[in-house]
Each structure stands twice: as structure tokens, then as C-alpha cells.
Amino acid sequence: MMFLVRTAFWLSVAIVLLPTPESMKAPESKVGATQAIGAASAAVSDMKGFCMRQPDACEVGSQALTAFGYKAQASAKWVYEFLSAKLGSEHTAAAEAKPAVPAADATPSQHTLTPNDTAPTWRGPRQQADARR
């Protein structure tokens, strides 16, 4: 039930934020923001009491949403397995096509520095003039 409410809310937000073409503009409404908030809160409180008034409808809706959730989960698993099979076979075929040993004409490694090359240069003790500063 909350899924439907959240979906309706976000869909409403998206519709409100979309621009309206000039040919489809409605006349200005005389409903204020406080009246709209009051109407929305009344609608939410009415939805809270719906399951108390119509328990059978809530029961059927709950079962339908549960079945929909299982179907969505099964569909997602099927798509994942399908893509894994298609992309996995292409990925392994490309890996098998590559040679395991690099060719002789490949560029040599750039990592040729020794530990002596990377050691910092020696700096002697500071001069008397530097110590006075």
C-alpha cells in the first residue's frame, strides 16, 4: 500500500515540475497553498482508515502486491542470468583469444629504477649561516 502511495507522490511531483506548453495551459486556480495542504492531509488520513472500512480490499491488494514482488524478483533474476550468459560467453571468448605471453615486439617495462635510484639525495649539515636565520 505504501508503495502505491510513494509512487503516486513521486509521479505527482514529476508531473508538477514538467513544463506545460502554452496551448495546454489551464486557467489560473484560486486554490491557495494552505487549502491544498489541508486537502492533502485529509486525503492521507482517509487512506489510513481505508483498510478499516474495506478489509477485503486491503487483503486482496496486499496479496496482489506480494505476487507482483515475486514476479519482479523472478524477472530480474532471469534478465541477470540471460545477460550473464550472453556477456559472459563473449567475455571468455575474448579472453581466450588474447595470448598469454606478450609478443617479442612489445615495449619493455618502464619500471627500471633500482632502490638506489629512488633514495633521496644526501644533504649535509646546515651551514652556520643557515643556523643563524
Side-chain angles (χ1 to χ4, degrees), residues 4-133:
L4 293 175
V5 172
R6 279 185 261 172
T7 302
F9 171 77
W10 287 112
L11 194 59
S12 300
V13 168
I15 289 171
V16 166
L17 294 177
L18 287 174
T20 306
E22 290 295 324
S23 63
M24 298 181 72
K25 290 226 180 205
E28 288 295 320
S29 174
K30 294 185 180 186
V31 176
T34 55
Q35 291 172 329
I37 291 173
S41 64
V44 169
S45 65
D46 185 49
M47 281 191 278
K48 288 179 183 177
F50 178 76
C51 285
M52 294 174 72
R53 292 189 311 268
Q54 301 288 335
D56 293 336
C58 281
E59 175 91 20
V60 170
S62 174
Q63 290 175 0
L65 284 176
T66 302
F68 178 77
Y70 286 133
K71 187 172 184 176
Q73 185 178 11
S75 299
K77 182 180 178 184
W78 177 81
V79 168
Y80 175 75
E81 289 172 352
F82 176 77
L83 291 176
S84 294
K86 287 290 184 186
L87 296 177
S89 62
E90 292 174 10
H91 210 49
T92 55
E96 290 172 358
K98 291 182 183 176
V101 180
D105 62 339
T107 59
S109 172
Q110 296 293 319
H111 306 291
T112 57
L113 296 177
T114 64
N116 288 337
D117 294 334
T118 60
T121 58
W122 181 78
R123 295 184 182 164
R126 292 186 179 219
Q127 299 293 330
Q128 290 279 346
D130 290 342
R132 290 183 194 157
R133 289 185 192 175

